[in-house]
Amino acid sequence: NAAALPVLGKTNMDEFAMGSSTEHSAYQITKNPLDHERIPGGSGGGSAAAVAANFAPIAIGTDTGGSIRQPASVTGTVGAKPTYGAVSRYGLIAMSSSLDQAGPCSTDVLSSAMLQELISGYDPKDSTSSKKPALSSYDSLVDAVAKAKSDLESGDLKSKKLRVGIISELNGGEGFEPEVAANFKKTCDDLKAAGIELELVDCPSFKYALAAYYIIMPSEVSSNLAKFDGMRFGVRVDADHVTDMMKATREYGFGDEVKRRIILGTYALSAGYYDAYYGTAQKVRTMIQRDLNDAFSKFDVLLSPTSPNVAFKFGSKTEDPLAMYMNDIATIPVNLAGIPAMSVPNGTGEAGLPTGVQVWANQFEDDKMYYFAELLELLNSSAN
Ligand code: GLN
């Protein structure tokens, strides 16, 4: 409002932000504007679809495990998850408090940079928001985008000695569609041709990231959603006794995916299992942070594909939660480490649908992420 940007509307999403396709919405599905038989990604499928369909120039989403970046990837738009704490979460409904982060999506990198700049900064109403700006090399995110453009145009990139790491575990191998892998390779080749040094970097802990996420996230979900008990928040189904009322309310008010995660989280946190599940997952989280710290001691940014596949058809993964969870294989380590990452379109794959490349930067180096994202956008547009 302060920026005089009118809010055009609220968009559809998976219930409580749980999903990768917007098929778990409590309302209806959202169609991918590029192919109406396919998903727009999730959970922020509505935001990405609104931008891809040109209903809105920019939109906001939240990203707990990839819900801004994966929808961007499958709709051919740009989406960024800022450093944890860079944007206030005041007013959001918490899904998994140690992972949730709001961020922008748009058709181009500059618009996302402008929107993040607008919504970021310390907020006394969110004690987890950071006082430190998410900048290391440039004065602003918009400045970083402008610098990328002038560096590329002046042919100045070689002298900058920029170092980019390609994550071996996410290098388009098993689980990635061949076209996604091929486009990723082409992006890397384009960067090399522009004078940027690329090298493989191992992050061995990443093979446990999805498993750790599906313990930590449901555990926090089970705690955060306990308040929807019919007493203070949300819908209420009346009954004669309070426990019956709570049971009936939660049975009626939550969808299947939400219930699945509450049950998982309650189990993982129960006495006797706590150490084996939650404790182990937290250790994995530390290992992921260490692998990334090591990587960022050598590289300015890291690259990987965003989504392992293009937009899939409605219904093709709803019966198989594990297949659905695999969509986030390349986005989840980012949330577990609290670092920023964003998705930029890098070509088309199966059925002519868009694929995305993901730029990873170190904590509070969102400016470097935008710098590289702009380079990728420019290289991609000159390739087409
Ligand atoms: N798709 C992931 C999940 O289902 C991520 C969700 C999100 O980022 N909100 O948990």
Side-chain angles (χ1 to χ4, degrees):
N1 279 5
L5 289 172
V7 175
L8 300 177
K10 286 190 186 178
T11 50
N12 197 15
M13 61 189 289
D14 289 294
E15 189 180 354
F16 286 99
M18 299 175 196
S20 301
S21 66
T22 316
E23 290 166 292
H24 297 305
S25 168
Y27 301 101
Q28 300 211 9
I29 57 163
T30 293
K31 294 175 180 171
N32 189 320
L34 305 172
D35 179 340
H36 292 183
E37 282 171 15
R38 297 189 188 234
I39 58 108
S43 64
S47 290
V51 169
N54 283 318
F55 293 168
I58 48 176
I60 293 179
T62 62
D63 193 309
T64 301
S67 285
I68 297 175
R69 292 162 287 153
Q70 182 259 7
S73 179
V74 300
T75 57
T77 57
V78 170
K81 178 226 169 269
T83 291
Y84 181 78
V87 177
S88 168
R89 299 183 294 184
Y90 180 69
L92 298 180
I93 291 175
M95 174 182 168
S96 182
S97 309
S98 75
L99 303 164
D100 299 343
Q101 181 59 73
C105 62
S106 59
T107 47
D108 64 317
V109 173
L110 179 61
S111 304
S112 275
M114 288 162 75
L115 183 55
Q116 183 175 327
E117 204 137 281
L118 206 61
I119 61 176
S120 60
Y122 175 67
D123 177 0
K125 293 195 173 110
D126 173 4
S127 59
T128 62
S129 75
S130 168
K131 289 194 169 144
K132 182 173 159 181
L135 301 169
S136 63
S137 306
Y138 304 94
D139 295 337
S140 72
L141 302 175
V142 174
D143 184 44
V145 172
K147 201 75 184 72
K149 192 160 196 274
S150 66
D151 284 350
L152 192 66
E153 279 165 4
S154 64
D156 230 13
L157 280 179
K158 254 201 183 82
S159 64
K160 300 226 123 183
K161 299 219 184 318
L162 299 166
R163 301 154 310 161
V164 173
I166 306 298
I167 302 164
S168 325
E169 288 75 11
L170 301 172
N171 193 13
E174 203 194 328
F176 291 86
E177 282 178 359
E179 295 88 350
V180 170
N183 288 356
F184 183 61
K185 186 170 178 310
K186 181 168 181 313
T187 298
C188 294
D189 291 344
D190 290 348
L191 282 172
K192 262 186 231 157
I196 290 175
E197 280 175 38
L198 274 78
E199 220 181 287
L200 279 175
V201 55
D202 295 335
C203 294
S205 63
F206 281 18
K207 56 175 168 300
Y208 308 115
L210 201 66
Y213 174 82
Y214 276 97
I215 295 291
I216 293 170
M217 174 273 295
S219 298
E220 295 186 16
V221 159
S222 71
S223 163
N224 274 328
L225 270 52
K227 63 175 171 276
F228 295 98
D229 57 5
M231 295 291 285
R232 291 157 296 170
F233 295 97
V235 293
R236 175 176 191 153
V237 177
D238 276 321
D240 288 342
H241 296 284
V242 69
T243 44
D244 294 338
M245 181 279 287
M246 285 182 185
K247 273 189 202 158
T249 296
R250 288 171 70 81
E251 163 61 27
Y252 170 79
F254 292 138
D256 287 349
E257 183 60 24
V258 176
K259 284 180 188 149
R260 176 158 35 237
R261 296 189 192 205
I262 293 173
I263 291 168
L264 254 174
T266 308
Y267 181 76
L269 290 180
S270 57
Y273 293 106
Y274 180 89
D275 278 341
Y277 293 115
Y278 191 72
T280 309
Q282 290 291 13
K283 284 179 194 149
V284 170
R285 188 170 190 174
T286 304
M287 285 162 61
I288 290 169
Q289 286 162 347
R290 266 190 220 144
D291 278 352
L292 283 167
N293 276 343
D294 286 350
F296 286 119
S297 68
K298 296 185 216 110
F299 299 102
D300 293 296
V301 295
L302 309 177
L303 288 186
S304 74
T306 311
S307 165
N309 42 257
V310 298
F312 48 87
K313 293 215 165 112
F314 286 113
S316 60
K317 299 195 184 191
T318 31
E319 297 307 315
D320 184 353
L322 286 183
M324 189 71 94
Y325 298 168
M326 285 303 286
N327 272 281
D328 305 311
I329 185 108
T331 49
I332 274 171
V334 165
N335 301 73
L336 289 170
I339 61 169
M342 73 189 285
S343 182
V344 183
N346 75 334
T348 52
E350 193 236 313
L353 291 161
T355 61
V357 54
Q358 183 179 214
V359 188
W360 310 41
N362 206 355
Q363 278 193 340
F364 298 103
E365 299 195 346
D366 299 37
D367 51 348
K368 280 196 193 168
M369 169 181 82
Y370 278 103
Y371 177 94
F372 270 91
E374 174 69 5
L375 287 182
L376 292 172
E377 181 175 84
L378 292 168
L379 290 171
N380 188 50
S381 61
S382 66
N384 296 327

